Amino acid sequence: QSVVTQPPSASGTPGQKVTISCSGSRSNIGSNFVYWYQQLPGAAPKLLIYNNDERPSGVPDRFSGSKSGTSASLAISGLRSEDEADYHCATWDDSLTDLVFGGGTKLTVL
Amino acid sequence: QITLKESGPTVVKPTQTLTLTCTFSGFSLSTSGVGVGWIRQPPGKALEWLALIYWDDDKRFSPSLKSRLTITKDTSKNHVVLTMTNMDPVDTATYYCVHRQTEKDHRFNNWGQGTLVTVSS
């Protein structure tokens, strides 16, 4: 059981906006940056968002990250079929002195 | 272009030691701030960070696995090697080699394709 929690699944239709949450505590999300990774089917994860809300070059601005208190969110606007993937949040935990990942959220584009 | 590739056995027996090699290109592990590490993902489960080695040979380990892990680098060969002792079937996972561009935060900028390791007698 991870110390940061994500919903196991999310869904949306093309063009919609979908939000995926990542919930933690003061020792992890509350004190540290949050990162998001996209894992397409059968592929390795790819960095999507870093330092809560920064996008690496090449990541479309349809993807955005935010953080408030001990929770973070990944928003995907203008949903496309190619966005169907697993999305993982990650952060450092000061109490565990460990990098922790959420359980991952499987996004389905209906 | 940065690439990382994992190599090693696909099957190991319980109690054996796993040795994985990451061969990378497109960056140097002698550049200040750069790190190379390992993350694994059991089938259908969450990602789990294992270990990281920095340009200055600083090493970091997941506390839960620290006693079983060793990580070393060969900067001249662009290799990083991970060893994990006393393998168990629960260690069956895809093991990813990852690149960290800066020690100022915890992002992993680039990932290898991963290698599936099965622990079975």
Side-chain angles (χ1 to χ4, degrees), chain A residues 4-9 20-23 36 87-90 101-106:
Chain A
V4 292
T5 305
Q6 298 180 238
S9 63
I20 296 171
S21 63
C22 179
S23 178
W36 289 92
Y87 291 86
H88 307 270
C89 64
F101 285 90
T105 297
K106 183 176 182 63

Side-chain angles (χ1 to χ4, degrees), chain A residues 33 37 48 90 95:
Chain A
F33 286 132
Y37 295 91
L48 198 63
S95 297

Side-chain angles (χ1 to χ4, degrees), chain A residues 2 32-33 35 37 39 42-47 50-51 86 88 91-92 96-104, chain B residues 39 41 44-50 60-64 96 100 104-114:
Chain A
S2 179
N32 295 285
F33 286 132
Y35 308 89
Y37 295 91
Q39 186 174 24
K46 166 193 157 186
L47 181 64
Y50 67 96
N51 295 3
D86 292 330
H88 307 270
T91 185
W92 183 259
L96 298 175
T97 59
D98 199 359
L99 185 75
V100 292
F101 285 90
Chain B
I39 290 171
Q41 185 176 34
K45 295 189 178 180
L47 296 165
E48 179 182 23
W49 172 66
L50 302 178
R60 306 295 172 92
F61 298 96
S62 171
S64 62
Y96 295 101
R100 177 170 286 173
K104 294 181 181 178
D105 58 48
H106 295 285
R107 80 183 98 152
F108 296 110
N109 303 77
N110 299 279
W111 296 59
Q113 64 188 25

Side-chain angles (χ1 to χ4, degrees), chain B residues 10-58:
Chain B
T10 56
V11 180
V12 296
K13 290 180 167 44
T15 75
Q16 283 188 336
T17 294
L18 171 68
T19 299
L20 293 173
T21 300
C22 175
T23 303
F24 56 86
S25 64
F27 67 94
S28 172
L29 198 37
S30 60
T31 299
S32 177
V34 172
V36 173
W38 294 88
I39 290 171
R40 70 179 180 180
Q41 185 176 34
K45 295 189 178 180
L47 296 165
E48 179 182 23
W49 172 66
L50 302 178
L52 185 76
I53 187 165
Y54 282 107
W55 64 287
D56 58 358
D57 212 40
D58 183 17

